[in-house]
Structures are given as C-alpha cells and as structure tokens.
Amino acid sequence: MSNHAMSEYAVKTENIHKSYFSGPQQVDVLKGVNLEVLNGEVAVIMGPSGVGKSTLLHIVGMLDRSDKGRLWIRGRDVSELDKVGMARLRNATIGFVFQFHHLLPEFSALENVLIPSLIRDSKNADEDYARELLERVGLKERVLHKPRELSGGERQRVAVARALINKPQIVLADEPTGNLDKQSGESLYHLLLELNRELGQTLLIVTHNEHMADNAHRLILMDDGHIADQKVIARRS
C-alpha cells in the first residue's frame, strides 16, 4: 500500500497477536487483529469481557507492544521505533481517557490538565489552553478545585481536558463512561462527539455501552481475540 493511501488511516493494524503468561499457562489474548480507522472517524469497539479490547487499545496507544504483527499510526510504522521513539510519537499524537480518571489528588483540575503538557515541554506548558479546555468541558468555575471537590462526572471531564491538552490527532478512550451514572455517561459521550466534530480528532472508544454505537462512524465487534465484524455506520461529515 502506498504512503499516500496509508496516510488516510489514523490507525491500521495487521495481524496483531498478543499473549500473556498466567503462571506456566500461555493466554492468547489477541489472535491476528486487523483494524482500520480513518482520520477523523469515531470508532467504537465492542464485545464481551476478556476478548482483548483493552489490550488492543493499549497496543494502539503504544503503551504495550504486540508479539507479532504491524501497527501504523497516521501512516507511521510503529515497528520501526524504539521505546523512546514510541514515547515521542505517543506524546505528540495520542490522548487517553480511561474508565478511572487517574487524577492526582493533591493537584487542582487545572494542574491535572497541564501534566501532559509539562511532560512534553516543561518550559512552555499552555495554561491558557488548559483553562480554555476546562471551560469547554463545562468546568470554568472549577479550575482550582481538587478531585475530591468534584463529582465523578466532573472528574472524568477533567480527564477529557487532560487528554486534549497536547492537541492529539487521536483520542483513545477505554470504557470512559463505565464508572459514571447513566446521565453523566451520556453527557460525557456527547461531549466527546462534539469535540470530534469541532476538532476533527479521531476517536477510538472501547465500551460495553451499546448506545455509543448509535452516533459512531464505525462499529468494531471483537470476539475471542479477533475482530468478528467491522462495519461503517455513517460517513464522516
């Protein structure tokens, strides 16, 4: 495939395998995953627990390496990179939203949002943009509040702002509403969709929530370490 054709993909995997050992027993988690997500798409990965959804997301996010197969991020072949190269590409390209917000309790919402920016460039962390993002997610009046002073939905919104601070081209979300009540979860998901439309970022979400597929561009169904089905629901606008 030409470099031009590859550049259409935000994420592309080819024959990804991943195994772990539980004592002496080898557990095959991913068994030849072929995934394609176009730039600007909202793609939802669904399937039963234990079929490899989160493992795949961690490999796509370069938090883990596959045992076999290839991964391209926006046309870049990740297999060519060492750990330092992967970290640089990850920090420049990808934002993460997890089920558990992982906010640092001693820091304010603003300081938590700034952490990836400080890691990337400690001298030029963009506090103005962090405040803009917190306002964008509805937390303008909460920027100096610490996590214990925020509701679950508000903490997860801080995590979304933190994922966006480095202006990533791809946002990976692992069960982002799984720890929230229904109303807070729906509000957060619609916020992610809104940001996708406004900022044009690719959004790849692992979820058990079937309603999340309703507004996605692509639905990916996993089963037993494979992609059982992958279909386009709606074209990118």
Side-chain angles (χ1 to χ4, degrees):
M1 186 176 291
S2 70
N3 289 337
H4 176 71
M6 284 299 303
S7 67
E8 286 291 311
Y9 294 104
V11 176
K12 182 175 172 61
T13 72
E14 181 181 279
N15 198 32
I16 292 289
H17 287 73
K18 184 68 179 180
S19 299
Y20 297 102
F21 281 89
S22 178
Q25 184 70 33
Q26 179 174 311
V27 180
D28 298 324
V29 182
L30 299 177
K31 307 171 185 176
V33 173
N34 297 298
L35 173 70
E36 296 175 351
V37 180
L38 297 174
N39 290 320
E41 278 191 325
V42 176
V44 170
I45 302 177
M46 299 189 68
S49 297
V51 297
K53 302 185 302 296
S54 293
T55 299
L56 176 60
L57 205 69
H58 286 185
I59 288 171
V60 168
M62 293 173 282
L63 298 174
D64 198 0
R65 276 192 185 271
S66 62
D67 299 328
K68 179 182 175 183
R70 298 177 73 183
L71 164 68
W72 292 267
I73 298 294
R74 291 182 61 85
R76 183 77 183 270
D77 189 345
V78 174
S79 63
E80 300 175 348
L81 303 177
D82 59 15
K83 285 185 178 180
V84 173
M86 287 174 68
R88 286 175 178 161
L89 182 61
R90 180 173 62 244
N91 291 341
T93 310
I94 294 175
F96 296 91
V97 183
F98 298 104
Q99 177 176 355
F100 300 99
H101 49 76
H102 299 301
L103 302 182
L104 296 179
E106 67 273 24
F107 291 159
S108 68
L110 179 63
E111 291 167 332
N112 269 285
V113 171
L114 280 168
I115 287 169
S117 182
L118 288 165
I119 291 171
R120 186 176 180 184
D121 186 349
S122 60
K123 296 180 181 178
N124 294 298
D126 195 342
E127 184 174 324
D128 289 341
Y129 187 53
R131 287 180 179 274
E132 179 185 327
L133 285 171
L134 283 167
E135 181 175 356
R136 185 69 194 78
V137 300
L139 296 175
K140 181 180 180 180
E141 308 301 327
R142 314 287 276 171
V143 294
L144 299 181
H145 285 64
K146 293 186 176 178
R148 66 176 178 273
E149 301 169 313
L150 302 173
S151 70
E154 287 172 334
R155 289 194 291 268
Q156 198 65 316
R157 284 170 177 263
V158 174
V160 170
R162 181 183 59 192
L164 299 175
I165 187 65
N166 283 341
K167 301 180 180 178
Q169 295 151 330
I170 301 167
V171 175
L172 305 179
D174 193 358
E175 295 284 2
T177 66
N179 220 28
L180 302 177
D181 61 73
K182 183 178 179 182
Q183 184 176 351
S184 298
E186 288 181 357
S187 175
L188 180 70
Y189 180 50
H190 285 292
L191 170 64
L192 289 170
L193 293 175
E194 206 173 295
L195 292 167
N196 164 265
R197 286 191 294 269
E198 290 184 12
L199 304 176
Q201 290 156 322
T202 305
L203 184 57
L204 182 58
I205 304 172
V206 164
T207 184
H208 284 97
N209 187 339
E210 294 181 4
H211 296 297
M212 284 195 173
D214 294 345
N215 298 100
H217 300 116
R218 185 180 297 267
L219 175 60
I220 299 150
L221 300 176
M222 288 191 68
D223 189 33
D224 192 29
H226 298 279
I227 295 207
D229 194 15
Q230 184 172 181
K231 55 189 175 184
V232 174
I233 300 170
R235 296 293 175 185
R236 294 165 295 166
S237 56

